[in-house]
Amino acid sequence: MCSNLGMRWSHLSASADDASLLDAAPAASPLPLALPGATIRTFDTPGFAGMTFYEVRAKSMINRVPGASRVPFQWTINPYRGCSHACSYCLSGDTPILLADGSMRPLAQLKAGDAVLGTTGAGPHRRYVTTTVLDHWSTTKPAFRVTLADGTRLVSSGDHRFLTDRGWRHVSPAEPHLPALAVGDRMSGVGHFAHPPMESPDYQAGFLCGLIRGDASAPPAGTPREGDAWIRADSYLEDIPMHKALRWPELPTGEWYRGFLAGAFGAIGTADRLAIIFTGRDQGFLSRITDALTHLGLPSRRPAHPQLGGVHSVEIGRDLWSALRFRHLTGVAEAPLDASGAGVRSDADLTVADIEELGLTLPLFDITTGTGDFIADGVVSHNCFARNTHTYLDLDAGRDFDTKVIVKVNAGELIRRELAAPRWKGEHVAMGTNVDVYQRAEGRYRLMPEILAALRDHANPFSILTKGTLILRDLELLKQAATVTGVNISFSVGFVDETVWRSVESGTPSPRRRLDAVRRPTDAGFKVSVLMAPILPGLTDTDESIEETVAAIAASGATSLSPLALHLRPGAREWYAAWLTREHPALAPRYRELFGGGSYLSPAFQNEIGARVRLAARRHGLHRATPFGARAIPAASAPVAAPVAAPVAAPLTVPESEQLTLL
């Protein structure tokens, strides 16, 4: 997620009185409910029950597609974010997260405003800094377990990233071009956090011994110490007799050593940034401290202080690992920690030993911080990027995507301004590639007529992919545009099974209604193509389903057919997986096998589906277009207006993961 929450909304919205739309809106609250200038509406009609619409004034409408994207177009127009069709980045909640004061808290328990430790810089110059939790959320995703050489086990989603000696690496990325974590990679950080002590009788006895004997060995420094350590001692003395507390045990346990160091620190310990120092007159007592530190694996030294005259000290290493391990092992909370500026390091103990898919879909959590990262059980962890359009806007990719729709109410006026700008070259733009422009909300907001009229008036070629029959409302505008530029219309119909449709695409017009809608633009002279998508493994990829669907498409008057098997980008993948495991649990193992940790089916499986659809298409007289070929720009059949410009405001780059959300 972006580290600056306001920036997400500033790209999308502008103040109502901003005539130029050149400047970003003021930083918004993380919650869209507080977006300056937004109008929030709900409607009583049954079709919009449970939905909220956020009406905003957008800063740009023509969005650039990244060069790495697989889609054959460069520009898109998306007047909506979220979809009323309602088609059906993260760690385990118990992962300890390092707070700025050196303490730990489970990820699930963090909240916005908490101060945590993050990093800044790059490569060998990366350093720790204090940062703030800006947002906190949960999701449900397929889980992976990463095991390090020191035994650390991190449960995360596949798209979560960790910092390694090869840079940021995804645990199991959905996209093949993304850098993947591998066995042998060395993570960066301080290493596995130590478990805090239990306040057992041994710990309490050690604490009392360290505090009381340490107080007796303290150098003369004026006022005796008071504070939490003595308050704890009073409560411990209710259960531990004084004579037992002052006794040196013959065989101290690990818990006794932990308590002893905590008590000794309360008496004669000080903290200076990363340093922990014990200062006293009794060298025998300081030797006991050295023994306790050694037992717990903390190196120490005894520097000479001849100028102090009879006062000696013990110091642990002045590094973040030692500072944290001392605090965590002993439970000392009153030692202030200042890690700002400390260098981020790595060692062999942080080498990745194993990466395994658990085969489970688990509740996972994530945070956004000011630095874009945080320290998860001792390793540097990137904010997770998780249906993705909505997480970019601080809404979740699940129910929020279906029920909270962002409406760019100034789409018509803005598109005219962008098409008329001097730098725009009149390139082809695709619509319906992220969310359906003819979803139910369009029936109320009527943004498309203005968009189509602007494209017509500037003779700008365009294509539309839709599941919505509402496109027929604008047929006259489409015909007018087709007289001056290239216009391509495609309907998405993956199957005609009514039962499957009601289950997985309940908010869309039925497949039969969509196919009926194909006939009218066909009769009007358009060569309408059908994207047979998505074809669902185990549900609609049978010979019977393919034959029935292809026959219905041919009967509708479509001129070409392009099959496309289901693919599941991050966000859509988790939502679909939840639906599948709920409605068709027996298919879950097959999907894990078919998709692995990625977004796409294997090429062999896709080719098999494609061959079967081609055979059926030949039988029914349909020529097969290549995927998305039906939306390619045709040879110019009419003069195109003089080139017009790229948007005045820099267009919002649309991540590849936002393209072609077919479910």
Side-chain angles (χ1 to χ4, degrees), residues 411-432:
E413 63 184 84
L414 187 54
I415 192 66
R416 285 190 178 275
R417 187 176 307 165
E418 292 179 338
L419 291 173
R423 291 175 296 167
W424 177 244
K425 304 303 180 184
E427 297 180 69
H428 172 258
V429 293
M431 291 178 278

Side-chain angles (χ1 to χ4, degrees), residues 188-219:
S188 299
V190 293
H192 180 61
F193 295 148
H195 294 295
M198 303 291 291
E199 292 198 1
S200 63
D202 271 4
Y203 177 88
Q204 294 177 348
F207 184 92
L208 291 169
C209 182
L211 182 67
I212 297 170
R213 288 184 177 273
D215 184 62
S217 72

Side-chain angles (χ1 to χ4, degrees), residues 334-541:
E334 61 269 22
L337 175 76
D338 181 5
S340 297
V344 177
R345 300 177 182 175
S346 181
D347 57 47
D349 286 345
L350 299 184
T351 300
V352 177
D354 189 31
I355 304 170
E356 57 181 319
E357 184 175 6
L358 297 181
L360 300 171
T361 297
L362 298 176
L364 301 174
F365 297 80
D366 201 14
I367 57 176
T368 298
T369 70
T371 58
D373 62 5
F374 54 96
I375 315 303
D377 205 2
V379 297
V380 182
S381 170
H382 201 283
N383 289 178
C384 203
F385 288 84
R387 296 173 358 193
N388 266 27
T389 309
H390 258 39
T391 57
Y392 186 77
L393 301 176
D394 307 309
L395 300 168
D396 71 52
R399 180 165 174 77
D400 281 356
F401 183 87
D402 298 333
T403 62
K404 297 180 179 179
V405 177
I406 315 304
V407 184
K408 302 174 186 179
V409 293
N410 62 331
E413 63 184 84
L414 187 54
I415 192 66
R416 285 190 178 275
R417 187 176 307 165
E418 292 179 338
L419 291 173
R423 291 175 296 167
W424 177 244
K425 304 303 180 184
E427 297 180 69
H428 172 258
V429 293
M431 291 178 278
T433 61
N434 183 22
V435 295
D436 199 334
V437 294
Y438 283 106
Q439 59 178 284
R440 284 179 291 149
E442 170 62 16
R444 178 171 290 272
Y445 284 99
R446 299 182 61 86
L447 301 182
M448 285 301 294
E450 293 184 78
I451 292 172
L452 294 176
L455 290 166
R456 173 202 63 195
D457 294 346
H458 288 271
N460 202 100
F462 63 90
S463 60
I464 298 174
L465 170 65
T466 184
K467 294 179 181 179
T469 57
L470 188 58
I471 190 174
L472 299 180
R473 179 199 65 190
D474 297 336
L475 185 55
E476 185 58 35
L477 276 170
L478 292 167
K479 289 164 59 178
Q480 294 170 14
T483 64
V484 295
T485 190
V487 177
N488 297 104
I489 300 173
S490 300
F491 282 84
S492 172
V493 182
F495 45 83
V496 292
D497 186 292
E498 294 279 327
T499 302
V500 176
W501 162 68
R502 286 193 178 91
S503 179
V504 78
E505 295 182 347
S506 59
T508 67
S510 73
R512 299 291 181 181
R513 283 183 58 201
R514 279 177 255 168
L515 291 174
D516 288 342
V518 169
R519 293 186 179 89
R520 281 184 57 189
T522 299
D523 292 342
F526 288 95
K527 293 183 177 180
V528 181
S529 62
V530 172
L531 186 64
M532 188 171 163
I535 300 172
L536 309 176
L539 294 171
T540 65
D541 63 342

Side-chain angles (χ1 to χ4, degrees), residues 625-640:
T626 56
F628 306 106
R631 285 187 284 145
I633 304 171
S637 57
V640 178

Side-chain angles (χ1 to χ4, degrees), residues 56-112:
V56 301
R57 293 182 60 82
K59 288 191 61 108
S60 65
M61 280 302 299
I62 302 179
N63 304 325
R64 183 187 289 276
V65 179
S69 176
R70 300 186 181 192
V71 296
F73 47 83
Q74 293 182 312
W75 302 94
T76 69
I77 294 175
N78 294 298
Y80 300 95
R81 294 282 188 127
C83 187
S84 51
H85 280 336
C87 308
S88 296
Y89 259 123
C90 299
L91 292 165
S92 174
D94 60 359
T95 305
I97 305 302
L98 184 60
L99 303 186
D101 63 4
S103 62
M104 301 175 293
R105 189 177 302 164
L107 177 57
Q109 296 178 18
L110 288 177
K111 61 183 183 300

